Amino acid sequence: GAVVSQHPSRVICKSGTSVKIECRSLDFQATTMFWYRQFPKKSLMLMATSNEGSKATYEQGVEKDKFLINHASLTLSTLTVTSAHPEDSSFYICSASRQVLLYGYTFGSGTRLTVV
Amino acid sequence: SQQGEEDPQALSIQEGENATMNCSYKTSINNLQWYRQNSGRGLVHLILIRSNEREKHSGRLRVTLDTSKKSSSLLITASRAADTASYFCATDNYGGSQGNLIFGKGTKLSVKP
């Protein structure tokens, strides 16, 4: 089946530094990947749609200069949280799909970011 | 924006009992999907039901969809302790061609052995 690998699973960083999160589709090519953010005991909120070879599409209220997305290949999208602040601490999850109507979306295992 | 709204927010049952979770949504959809999330982990796709389908089964799971009421239900039969997790419904408005999922707030299911 479709596998999406997300790395790292946990990261702790200091305020003001940048953190990169990787999302890879292991056994299929993904021209589009999605980045979500989940607050404790809350639902997932879409942050942006990552498009291979072009600019990402950000949801309203998401700062594109703060959350940099790069989708340089058909199997890799990266999310970089720049100049991180404690309020950026959250659970970030990526997803992609091979054939949505057959398999739904496949999610990475998520990244727990803690900014201290 | 929030689309699906699950009900109840939390559900606690004994092993062997059935668990029913409901989901309501607001706009037209192409399909509706149910996902499971174990604490601190990613989501696992459970089942997808298209807008022209009314019921679908997968193992111990049964999903219904009522587009006139904009609602769906997920039934887990003969529950097991391992079913303990959060369950989310998510609507796909574009059939995956360009869209993304809009998630509800989830139902936290606890199955006691």
Side-chain angles (χ1 to χ4, degrees):
Chain A
V3 179
V4 172
S5 173
Q6 187 172 340
H7 179 80
S9 58
R10 289 178 179 271
V11 59
I12 300 173
C13 71
K14 293 184 178 180
S15 290
T17 62
S18 296
V19 173
K20 180 184 285 188
I21 303 170
E22 292 187 348
C23 181
R24 294 180 185 273
S25 56
L26 297 186
D27 53 355
F28 67 102
Q29 294 182 332
T31 56
T32 304
M33 291 185 176
F34 302 96
W35 287 96
Y36 292 84
R37 181 172 178 174
Q38 185 177 30
F39 292 97
K41 299 182 180 179
K42 297 286 186 182
S43 183
L44 284 78
M45 293 185 62
L46 179 71
M47 298 174 64
T49 301
S50 174
N51 304 298
E52 187 269 334
S54 64
K55 292 181 180 179
T57 305
Y58 290 83
E59 295 299 301
Q60 193 172 11
V62 177
E63 298 176 58
K64 61 180 180 181
D65 293 331
K66 179 164 191 60
F67 298 100
L68 299 179
I69 290 174
N70 183 275
H71 196 151
S73 78
L74 287 171
T75 59
L76 173 65
S77 174
T78 60
L79 168 67
T80 301
V81 182
T82 63
S83 188
H85 288 272
E87 55 264 34
D88 298 326
S89 298
S90 192
F91 193 61
Y92 295 88
I93 313 177
C94 68
S95 76
S97 178
R98 188 170 60 182
Q99 286 181 272
V100 170
L101 298 180
L102 289 178
Y103 305 111
Y105 287 84
T106 302
F107 284 79
S109 55
T111 297
R112 171 72 60 193
L113 171 63
T114 303
V115 185
V116 298
Chain B
S1 59
Q2 201 73 17
Q3 169 82 308
E5 295 284 340
E6 286 92 341
D7 167 52
Q9 292 186 7
L11 179 62
S12 182
I13 60 175
Q14 293 293 133
E15 210 166 24
E17 295 180 339
N18 296 341
T20 299
M21 290 161 268
N22 302 297
C23 168
S24 61
Y25 58 92
K26 298 175 182 175
T27 65
S28 297
I29 61 171
N30 177 281
N31 64 79
L32 186 145
Q33 303 174 31
W34 284 90
Y35 288 81
R36 165 195 169 125
Q37 183 181 36
N38 287 76
S39 181
R41 305 295 295 275
L43 279 74
V44 175
H45 174 78
L46 295 176
I47 197 165
L48 179 152
I49 186 165
R50 302 187 193 201
S51 59
N52 61 353
E53 297 176 309
R54 292 296 165 258
E55 187 172 313
K56 203 163 182 179
H57 296 252
S58 177
R60 294 185 294 114
L61 305 179
R62 183 173 79 96
V63 169
T64 63
L65 179 64
D66 187 335
T67 53
S68 66
K69 295 181 179 178
K70 291 186 167 60
S71 67
S72 173
S73 67
L74 171 67
L75 168 67
I76 303 174
T77 60
S79 63
R80 305 166 182 169
D83 294 330
T84 295
S86 290
Y87 292 81
F88 294 89
C89 71
T91 55
D92 182 347
N93 296 358
Y94 302 100
S97 61
Q98 58 173 302
N100 54 75
L101 296 177
I102 302 176
F103 285 85
K105 296 179 181 177
T107 292
K108 190 169 185 178
L109 174 66
S110 176
V111 181
K112 299 178 181 178

